[in-house]
């Protein structure tokens, strides 16, 4: 924290002592979430305080809630979460900036990633924020950074080019909804895999073909794709090989029921196999960077990418939103909205 005692509005503000937030003091399901008042976060010299207008809910937040696979606890806390406030996607207004921050000022509308975003205020660094596109709402912006950023990185890592074919599993989820749109914008022939109830939604996102489980098989070798974005399910390496062209690529983004310890067994096997076959199997280690969000803004403003927002829940109903995610009823993503945060007065 800066020791500068000047009255510069960039580094000084009269702030409330506490704020409303959703908390979890142990790992578990949605039932461990509580609404509480917690201390306001401190703002370091290189940090930005965001007055949260909306926060996105995704599978990553669910993993942090449950602490599974257990490997995530090495980063988040072995026995209980170090940060008791969940949430990562954020959209809101800059309330305060540290002394070393450039490019942002109080009053700027932004979106990006801020740990602890299920609260009235959240702190992050400027390299994880970008200006919010003017033509989308805060709730719409909040469901984009992590999921759309992950989709963009997966397609880039897979080397997708115009005219190629791509198969996207979990196409109705957060990452999948954006992967379908971005792949279509890049000129690919897109096939989405989802449940029958969500087929129309995936088509509306831009998929040229939709396969529904368990009725349609995409691993029997009757059709092959240049790129498979493996988000959901848990196809074996053998099944993925049958689905790929001889020189195709599979990018591992996620997987359901992938193991409670590491959750990366297939990724490791695929990476070890890649040097010995013509096909590539690449685990994605997604990064959260402003440059990715800026690229998303360009796609939004060009009309090539839209928010995959299913519905919104007020902050106090975050547990209900998480339950819907656990049940698999959400198309795209949901947002947690914070309409009236406690204001920070000028210092």
């Amino acid at each position: 924290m800066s020791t500068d005692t000047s009255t510069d509005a960039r580094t000084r503000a009269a702030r409330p002592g506490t704020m409303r937030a959703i908390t979890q003091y142990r790992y578990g399901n949605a039932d461990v979430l509580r609404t509480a008042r917690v201390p306001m976060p401190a703002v370091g010299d290189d940090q930005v305080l965001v007055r949260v207008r909306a926060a996105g809910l995704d599978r990553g937040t669910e993993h942090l809630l449950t602490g599974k696979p257990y490997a995530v606890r090495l980063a988040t806390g072995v026995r209980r979460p170090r940060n008791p406030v969940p949430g990562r996607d954020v959209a809101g207004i800059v309330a305060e900036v540290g002394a070393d921050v450039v490019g942002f000022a109080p009053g700027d509308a932004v979106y990006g990633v801020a740990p602890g975003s299920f609260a009235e205020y959240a702190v992050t660094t400027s390299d994880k924020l970008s200006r919010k596109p003017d033509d989308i709402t805060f709730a719409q912006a909040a469901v984009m950074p992590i999921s759309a950023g992950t989709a963009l990185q997966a397609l880039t890592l897979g080397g997708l080019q115009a005219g190629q074919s791509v198969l996207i599993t979990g196409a109705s989820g957060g990452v999948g909804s954006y992967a379908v749109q971005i792949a279509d914008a890049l000129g690919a022939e897109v096939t989405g895999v989802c449940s029958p109830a969500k087929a129309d939604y995936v088509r509306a996102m831009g998929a040229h073909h939709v396969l529904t489980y368990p009725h349609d098989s995409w691993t029997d070798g009757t059709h092959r794709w240049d790129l498979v974005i493996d988000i959901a399910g848990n196809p074996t390496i053998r099944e993925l090989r049958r689905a790929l062209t001889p020189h195709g690529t599979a990018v591992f983004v996620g997987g359901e029921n992938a193991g409670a310890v590491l959750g990366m067994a297939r990724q490791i096997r695929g990476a070890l196999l890649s040097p010995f076959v013509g096909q590539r199997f690449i685990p994605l280690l997604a990064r959260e960077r402003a440059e990715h969000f800026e690229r998303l803004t360009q796609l939004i403003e060009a009309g090539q990418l839209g928010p995959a927002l299913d519905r919104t829940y007020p902050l106090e109903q975050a547990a209900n939103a998480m339950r819907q995610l656990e049940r698999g009823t959400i198309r795209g993503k949901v947002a947690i909205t914070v309409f009236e945060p406690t204001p920070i007065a000028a210092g």
Side-chain angles (χ1 to χ4, degrees):
M1 186 75 176
S2 173
T3 57
D4 182 6
T5 58
S6 72
T7 57
D8 189 342
R10 289 169 52 85
T11 58
R12 293 191 63 209
R15 57 168 64 230
T18 63
M19 63 179 182
R20 289 183 301 140
I22 300 300
T23 60
Q24 65 160 120
Y25 289 95
R26 60 187 175 91
Y27 293 112
N29 59 20
D31 293 337
V32 307
L33 297 176
R34 296 287 186 273
T35 304
R37 295 202 72 87
V38 301
M40 285 282 294
V43 183
D45 287 346
D46 63 343
Q47 293 182 318
V48 178
L49 181 69
V50 178
R51 186 177 67 183
V52 179
R53 294 291 302 276
L57 173 59
D58 65 346
R59 286 290 176 187
T61 301
E62 182 188 20
H63 290 313
L64 296 177
L65 174 69
T66 62
K68 295 180 181 178
Y70 290 114
V72 306
R73 301 191 185 193
L74 297 176
T76 63
V78 175
R79 301 187 64 179
R80 62 182 63 84
R82 291 193 190 97
N83 182 355
V85 181
R88 297 170 69 227
D89 276 316
V90 72
I93 303 294
V94 173
E96 184 181 340
V97 296
D100 297 337
V101 172
V102 295
F104 294 102
D108 289 346
V110 296
Y111 76 134
V113 174
S117 61
F118 287 7
E120 292 185 317
Y121 293 89
V123 163
T124 188
T125 52
S126 59
D127 61 347
K128 294 186 181 297
L129 291 175
S130 179
R131 70 172 183 86
K132 184 186 77 68
D134 294 333
D135 52 354
I136 62 174
T137 67
F138 285 100
Q140 290 173 328
V143 298
M144 302 197 74
I146 293 175
S147 294
T150 298
L152 177 64
Q153 292 173 71
L155 293 166
T156 301
L157 185 61
L160 185 64
Q161 299 178 12
Q164 289 187 320
S165 59
V166 57
L167 177 89
I168 300 166
T169 69
S172 64
V175 176
S177 297
Y178 295 116
V180 168
Q181 294 183 71
I182 296 171
D184 180 47
L186 293 175
E189 182 180 357
V190 184
T191 300
V193 181
C194 63
S195 68
K198 298 176 181 178
D200 289 343
Y201 171 78
V202 174
R203 290 190 185 94
M205 289 294 100
H208 304 97
H209 314 283
V210 176
L211 301 177
T212 61
Y213 55 79
H215 309 95
D216 302 320
S217 172
W218 57 270
T219 62
D220 58 9
T222 58
H223 191 86
R224 292 174 178 261
W225 290 267
D226 297 305
L227 175 63
V228 173
I229 303 297
D230 181 25
I231 302 170
N234 265 310
T236 65
I237 298 298
R238 180 174 296 181
E239 289 173 327
L240 286 169
R241 292 203 67 191
R242 285 200 297 264
L244 289 171
T245 59
H247 297 285
T249 299
V251 176
F252 297 104
V253 176
E256 298 167 359
N257 303 314
V261 179
L262 291 176
M264 295 187 66
R266 292 180 312 131
Q267 290 90 325
I268 294 170
R269 289 197 298 271
L272 292 173
L273 178 65
S274 289
F276 304 102
V277 297
Q279 298 159 325
R280 295 191 305 156
F281 299 89
I282 309 174
L284 173 66
L285 298 176
R287 308 295 183 186
E288 299 160 355
R289 295 176 177 167
E291 62 189 79
H292 299 140
F293 309 146
E294 290 162 3
R295 175 59 180 146
L296 297 178
T297 296
Q298 292 172 358
L299 291 170
I300 294 168
E301 293 177 341
Q304 296 177 308
L305 182 64
L309 177 61
D310 187 341
R311 67 197 89 163
T312 64
Y313 291 82
L315 183 68
E316 290 75 13
Q317 293 184 22
N320 290 334
M322 182 64 77
R323 292 186 184 97
Q324 295 304 315
L325 181 67
E326 293 170 345
R327 293 168 185 158
T329 62
I330 294 171
R331 300 183 180 193
K333 293 181 67 173
V334 299
I336 308 301
T337 54
V338 185
F339 288 113
E340 297 180 356
T342 305
I344 288 181

